């Protein structure tokens, strides 16, 4: 059962709050997942919160969150974001991840406008094509 609201940009969003944190921005969402940038009140640490869009996730999705958390913990931040914790907030899994202050691919594409293509997007402007 979705718990949607309309955020300031007019986009469909979920109600999400995590005790001890304030929401800085909605980083986006896909079919079942939403990403938020949060800041911890205690020490100002920014984190990425990955959670389900549904207020109550199914067991398969909750298991996927547990698996992702376990794999990220094993990596210890080597080649991936560090996983800080996996919380359960009112039946919803919330994975708290290291925030490196970057941008989502969607934010970068939107900043470049509508006239972009895949090849030019992934090629550095400093590399000259030999083709």
């Amino acid at each position: 059962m979705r718990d949607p609201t309309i955020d300031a940009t007019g986009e469909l969003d979920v109600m999400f709050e995590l005790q001890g944190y304030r929401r800085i921005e909605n980083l986006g969402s896909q079919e079942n997942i939403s990403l938020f940038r949060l800041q911890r009140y205690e020490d100002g640490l920014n984190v990425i919160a990955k959670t389900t869009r549904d207020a109550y996730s199914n067991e398969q999705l909750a298991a996927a969150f547990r698996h992702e958390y376990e794999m990220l913990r094993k990596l210890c931040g080597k080649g991936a974001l560090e996983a800080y914790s996996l919380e359960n907030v009112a039946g919803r899994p919330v994975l708290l991840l290291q925030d490196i202050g970057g941008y989502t691919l969607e934010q970068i594409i939107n900043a470049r406008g509508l006239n972009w293509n895949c090849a030019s997007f992934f090629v550095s402007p400093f590399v000259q094509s030999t083709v």
Side-chain angles (χ1 to χ4, degrees):
M1 177 175 178
R2 290 205 190 279
D3 184 12
T5 60
I6 304 296
D7 70 8
T9 64
E11 303 231 347
L12 197 60
D13 194 2
V14 294
M15 294 293 291
F16 175 73
E17 290 186 25
L18 185 59
Q19 187 175 7
Y21 293 84
R22 75 177 181 94
R23 184 174 3 178
I24 297 173
E25 70 178 306
N26 179 354
L27 294 174
S29 58
Q30 295 185 5
E31 184 177 327
N32 295 322
I33 305 296
S34 290
L35 295 173
F36 301 94
R37 179 169 279 132
L38 307 177
Q39 186 175 57
R40 191 164 52 193
Y41 289 121
E42 180 182 322
D43 58 5
L45 177 71
N46 287 350
V47 299
I48 301 298
K50 179 179 178 179
T51 189
T52 60
R53 290 191 67 190
D54 288 338
Y56 302 99
S57 65
N58 63 44
E59 183 53 38
Q60 183 179 11
L61 194 51
F65 269 77
R66 284 191 301 273
H67 179 73
E68 181 176 359
Y69 174 71
E70 291 166 6
M71 293 297 104
L72 289 171
R73 292 297 292 176
K74 286 180 183 178
L75 289 172
C76 301
K78 296 177 184 159
L81 296 178
E82 185 178 346
Y84 294 140
S85 67
L86 178 62
E87 311 287 331
N88 187 331
V89 179
R92 175 184 286 166
V94 180
L95 183 57
L96 295 178
L97 303 165
Q98 174 186 23
D99 181 4
I100 60 172
Y103 299 96
T104 65
L105 182 57
E106 182 179 16
Q107 289 172 327
I108 294 169
I109 290 169
N110 289 338
R112 291 189 177 199
L114 299 175
N115 298 325
W116 72 278
N117 67 46
C118 191
S120 66
F121 182 81
F122 289 106
V123 174
S124 168
F126 303 106
V127 177
Q128 293 192 4
S129 174
T130 59
V131 179

